[in-house]
C-alpha cells in the first residue's frame, strides 16, 4: 500500500493546503494516538514545534486529535526536533510529535512522529497510521478523554542534556562563538547552552516573529553568519536550521564548512580515541567523493545511502555505526541522539578545537573536495525524469563521467524539485553537465 500523507520525513506541505490543514492534523493525531494506545497505562504524547506562525494552529488541532482518542498531551512549546526525540524517551511517552517544516519557509509546515524509543517511525507504523486515516476514529468515552499540560522546564532539560555530551571538565572559556538560530526552534536553548559552558556568545536569528524562520538566516543562508564572524573576530560560527537538526559551520576566516568536513573531523577524532564503531561513517549519495577518499586513507569506510537522514539512521543502526549524516549538515551521533542534532554536533566540533588547540580553519580543512555542483529545477506537473530527452541527457552524462566522477539525480522528498548533482575533477565539465541536464528537465 502506498502512502498518501507520509513522505521521506513525515508529512509536509504548504499551510492550509492538503495535507497541511488543521483538519488533517487533527485526524493524524487521532490516527497516531489510536495506533499507540497499547496496554492499560495512561498514554502520553509529547508535542514540540518550531516558531512558524501556523504552529499554533497545527498544535491545537493535534491536541484535539490526541485527546479525543484518550491520549494525554505534554506541550513543550518551541523546541528543537532532537529535543522532542530526547524528551519522548526521558518522559516515557508513547509518542513524540515535532511540528516543523525544517529548513523551509514559514508558509510550509510539517509533522514528524517519533516512537517511544525516540526514533522516527518505521514504515510499518506509518502504513498503519495511513490506514487509520481512511477510517472513522474510535473516540474515547467522555471520562477517558485526554488531558493537555504545558511543561515549563523543557528548555532546561534539553540544555542540560546537550551540555552532558561534553566531558564534565570541559568549558568553552575564551571562545567567541557566533550562533545563528534561524529564528527557529533553538533560539533560546542553543545560545543558553553555549553561555552556560563559558563561551562569549553572539546570537543571531533569535527574534522569531512567526514569518522570519529561515529567512536569509540559518544553515541554508550563512552569509549573515559569515559577516558576523569576521566583523566580531570570532573563533567560529555555528548555524542551525529552523528545527535545529542541521549544522553548518563558519571558520574564523569566514569560510563555510559543510557536513562532509564535519563528519570527517568527528569520525577521525573518534577513531583516534577508540570510540568509532563499525569502522565506518554512513552518509548519502550526495556526500563528496573527497570525503570518501579521505576516510579511506584513514582506514574508515564510507557507506552511502539514499538521500534522507532516516535512511542514514537505518543503515547506522543496521551496522552499529555511531557517526553519520548528510552534506547538508544533518549530523547523527547515536552515542548521544536518535536523530540529527545541530547543537550537539556543534559541541563536538568545539570540543575538538579545545583538545587540539587548533583554529577552526586548520581543524576543519580535513580534505580537498572534488569539484561538485548541485542545482535544483522546479517543476509543476508530470514526471520530468521519465521524459525521453531527459533520460538521454542523463545517459550521456554518466558515460562522460564514468570512472572520473559521479552523477546523482533525484526528486526532492519535500518539494516539487528535481535535484541535479555532478562531481568530477574538471569543474568546467561538471558545470556543463549539470546545466545541460537542468535545461532538459526544465523543458520536459
Amino acid at each position: 500500500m502506498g502512502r498518501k500523507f507520509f513522505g521521506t520525513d513525515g508529512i509536509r506541505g504548504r499551510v492550509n493546503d492538503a495535507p497541511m490543514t488543521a483538519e488533517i492534523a487533527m485526524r493524524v493525531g487521532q490516527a497516531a494516538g489510536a495506533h499507540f494506545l497499547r496496554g492499560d497505562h495512561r498514554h502520553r504524547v509529547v508535542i514540540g514545534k518550531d516558531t512558524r506562525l501556523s504552529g499554533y494552529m497545527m498544535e491545537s488541532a493535534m491536541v484535539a486529535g490526541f485527546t479525543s482518542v484518550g491520549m494525554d498531551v505534554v506541550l513543550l512549546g518551541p523546541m528543537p526536533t532532537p529535543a522532542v526525540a530526547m524528551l519522548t524517551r526521558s518522559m516515557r511517552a508513547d509518542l513524540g510529535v515535532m511540528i516543523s517544516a525544517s529548513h523551509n519557509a514559514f508558509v510550509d509546515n510539517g509533522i514528524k512522529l517519533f516512537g517511544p524509543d525516540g526514533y522516527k517511525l518505521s514504515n510499518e507504523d506509518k502504513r498503519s497510521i495511513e490506514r487509520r486515516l481512511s477510517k472513522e476514529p474510535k473516540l474515547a468515552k467522555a471520562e477517558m478523554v485526554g488531558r493537555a499540560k504545558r511543561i515549563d522546564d523543557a528548555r532546561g532539560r534539553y540544555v542540560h542534556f546537550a551540555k552532558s555530551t561534553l566531558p564534565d571538565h570541559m568549558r568553552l572559556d575564551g571562545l567567541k562563538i557566533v550562533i545563528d538560530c534561524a529564528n527557529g526552534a533553538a533560539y533560546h536553548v542553543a545560545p543558553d547552552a553555549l553561555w552556560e559552558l563559558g563561551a562569549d556568545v553572539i546570537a543571531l536569528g533569535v527574534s522569531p516573529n512567526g514569518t522570519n524562520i529561515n529567512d536569509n538566516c540559518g544553515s541554508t543562508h550563512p552569509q549573515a553568519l559569515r559577516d558576523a564572524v569576521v566583523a566580531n573576530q570570532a573563533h567560529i560560527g555555528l548555524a542551525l536550521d529552523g528545527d535545529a537538526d542541521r549544522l553548518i559551520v563558519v571558520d574564523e576566516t569566514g569560510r563555510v564548512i559543510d557536513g562532509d568536513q564535519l563528519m570527517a573531523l568527528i569520525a577521525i577524532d573518534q577513531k583516534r580515541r577508540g570510540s568509532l564503531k563499525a569502522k565506518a561513517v554512513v552518509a548519502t549519495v550526495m556526500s563528496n567523493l573527497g570525503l570518501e577518499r579521505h576516510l579511506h586513507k584513514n582506514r574508515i569506510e564510507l557507506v552511502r545511502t539514499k538521500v534522507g537522514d532516516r535512511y542514514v539512521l537505518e543503515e547506522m543502526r543496521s551496522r552499529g555505526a555511531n557517526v553519520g549524516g548528510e552534506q547538508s549538515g544533518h549530523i547523527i551521533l547515536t552515542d548521544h541522539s536518535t536523530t540529527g542534532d545541530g547543537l550537539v554536533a556543534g559541541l563536538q566540533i568545539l570540543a575538538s578545537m579545545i583538545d587540539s588547540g587548533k583554529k577552526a580553519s586548520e581543524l576543519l580543512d580535513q580534505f580537498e573536495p572534488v569539484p561538485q555542483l548541485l542545482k535544483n529545477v522546479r517543476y509543476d506537473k508530470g514526471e520530468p525524469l521519465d521524459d525521453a530527452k531527459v533520460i538521454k541527457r542523463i545517459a550521456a552524462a554518466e558515460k562522460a563521467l564514468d570512472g572520473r566522477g559521479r552523477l546523482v539525480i533525484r526528486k526532492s522528498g519535500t518539494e516539487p524539485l528535481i535535484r541535479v548533482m555532478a562531481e568530477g575533477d574538471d569543474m568546467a565539465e561538471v558545470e556543463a553537465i549539470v546545466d545541460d541536464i537542468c535545461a532538459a528537465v526544465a523543458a520536459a
Side-chain angles (χ1 to χ4, degrees):
M1 174 184 173
R3 296 200 302 266
K4 178 181 178 182
F5 295 98
F6 286 93
T8 56
D9 193 24
I11 304 170
R12 190 179 298 186
R14 192 176 183 90
V15 172
N16 279 342
D17 287 341
M20 204 42 54
T21 66
E23 178 187 5
I24 293 177
M26 183 179 72
R27 290 172 54 200
V28 170
Q30 291 172 325
H35 178 69
F36 281 93
L37 287 173
R38 303 166 181 174
D40 57 3
H41 64 280
R42 192 69 192 173
H43 292 79
R44 177 184 298 162
V45 58
V46 171
I47 300 181
K49 62 182 179 178
D50 64 23
T51 56
R52 60 193 75 221
L53 181 63
S54 58
Y56 295 97
M57 176 183 75
M58 305 304 290
E59 179 187 63
S60 297
M62 296 204 76
V63 169
F66 283 117
T67 54
S68 72
V69 296
M71 185 169 274
D72 292 339
V73 177
V74 177
L75 296 169
L76 305 178
M79 288 290 287
T81 288
V84 173
M86 183 273 292
L87 288 166
T88 298
R89 287 183 299 158
S90 70
M91 297 186 71
R92 310 307 194 263
D94 301 277
L95 179 64
V97 177
M98 180 63 183
I99 301 171
S100 174
S102 190
H103 59 282
N104 289 21
F106 85 96
V107 295
D108 293 335
N109 214 330
I111 299 169
K112 300 180 184 181
L113 301 176
F114 295 92
D117 57 0
Y119 287 99
K120 292 179 182 178
L121 296 191
S122 66
N123 286 332
E124 181 181 351
D125 283 326
K126 286 184 283 192
R127 281 192 291 267
S128 176
I129 293 170
E130 286 266 9
R131 288 193 293 269
R132 291 179 183 273
L133 283 168
S134 64
K135 304 174 183 177
E136 284 296 314
K138 182 180 179 181
L139 302 180
K141 295 179 180 179
E143 65 272 17
M144 296 301 294
V145 167
R147 300 175 182 270
K149 176 182 179 180
R150 191 173 296 275
I151 62 171
D152 298 323
D153 64 344
R155 292 174 183 169
R157 296 189 194 195
Y158 176 67
V159 168
H160 175 76
F161 156 75
K163 289 163 52 183
S164 74
T165 66
L166 294 183
D168 290 341
H169 69 277
M170 184 168 287
R171 294 180 55 88
L172 304 181
D173 299 85
L175 285 182
K176 182 183 287 187
I177 301 170
V178 183
I179 177 85
D180 184 345
C181 300
N183 291 313
Y187 76 101
H188 274 306
V189 293
D192 284 355
L194 296 174
W195 176 81
E196 289 185 21
L197 287 166
D200 179 2
V201 182
I202 300 166
L204 309 178
V206 290
S207 301
N209 62 14
T211 63
N212 62 359
I213 187 171
N214 301 311
D215 186 12
N216 291 315
C217 57
S219 62
T220 52
H221 301 91
Q223 185 59 50
L225 179 64
R226 294 177 63 186
D227 294 344
V229 167
V230 174
N232 290 280
Q233 297 183 315
H235 295 95
I236 194 170
L238 309 176
L240 309 174
D241 67 339
D243 68 335
D245 63 355
R246 289 191 187 193
L247 171 72
I248 293 294
V249 173
V250 170
D251 70 21
E252 81 280 1
T253 71
R255 185 171 65 106
V256 177
I257 312 297
D258 67 15
D260 284 348
Q261 297 281 1
L262 304 183
M263 285 188 284
L265 171 61
I266 292 171
I268 291 170
D269 259 8
Q270 290 207 5
K271 184 174 184 290
R272 176 177 53 82
R273 295 195 302 268
S275 57
L276 182 69
K277 298 174 182 175
K279 298 181 181 178
V281 171
V282 180
T284 76
V285 293
M286 300 302 288
S287 278
N288 194 275
L289 187 58
L291 171 64
E292 186 172 349
R293 293 170 177 172
H294 182 61
L295 291 177
H296 180 72
K297 288 179 183 177
N298 286 274
R299 298 183 179 179
I300 300 172
E301 181 184 5
L302 179 68
V303 180
R304 294 186 184 270
T305 73
K306 294 190 292 184
V307 173
D309 62 306
R310 68 178 296 262
Y311 300 115
V312 172
L313 184 56
E314 287 173 0
E315 186 66 26
M316 290 176 70
R317 296 180 75 183
S318 173
R319 288 177 173 263
N322 61 342
V323 177
E326 297 185 279
Q327 187 184 62
S328 61
H330 279 114
I331 309 296
I332 304 175
L333 306 173
T334 54
D335 288 341
H336 305 301
S337 303
T338 57
T339 187
D341 191 322
L343 176 57
V344 167
L347 289 173
Q348 311 317 304
I349 301 301
L350 296 173
S352 293
M353 286 181 64
I354 293 169
D355 282 342
S356 68
K358 293 181 179 180
K359 295 179 180 180
S361 58
E362 299 171 322
L363 195 63
L364 293 168
D365 188 19
Q366 288 285 309
F367 64 89
E368 183 67 31
V370 171
Q372 185 183 84
L373 181 63
L374 168 66
K375 289 189 176 182
N376 298 321
V377 184
R378 188 169 292 273
Y379 65 95
D380 297 321
K381 58 183 179 180
E383 297 290 343
L385 297 183
D386 292 338
D387 183 86
K389 292 182 179 179
V390 173
I391 293 172
K392 184 177 180 181
R393 300 281 182 89
I394 291 173
E398 289 176 335
K399 183 177 180 180
L401 288 172
D402 186 33
R404 298 182 298 109
R406 297 188 310 125
L407 181 67
V408 179
I409 301 173
R410 66 182 185 90
K411 289 175 64 175
S412 167
T414 59
E415 301 175 83
L417 299 174
I418 301 297
R419 305 194 191 279
V420 181
M421 188 279 282
E423 63 181 355
D425 294 321
D426 184 342
M427 187 59 187
E429 181 183 33
V430 167
E431 289 177 346
I433 285 172
V434 170
D435 287 344
D436 184 57
I437 293 174
C438 285
V441 170

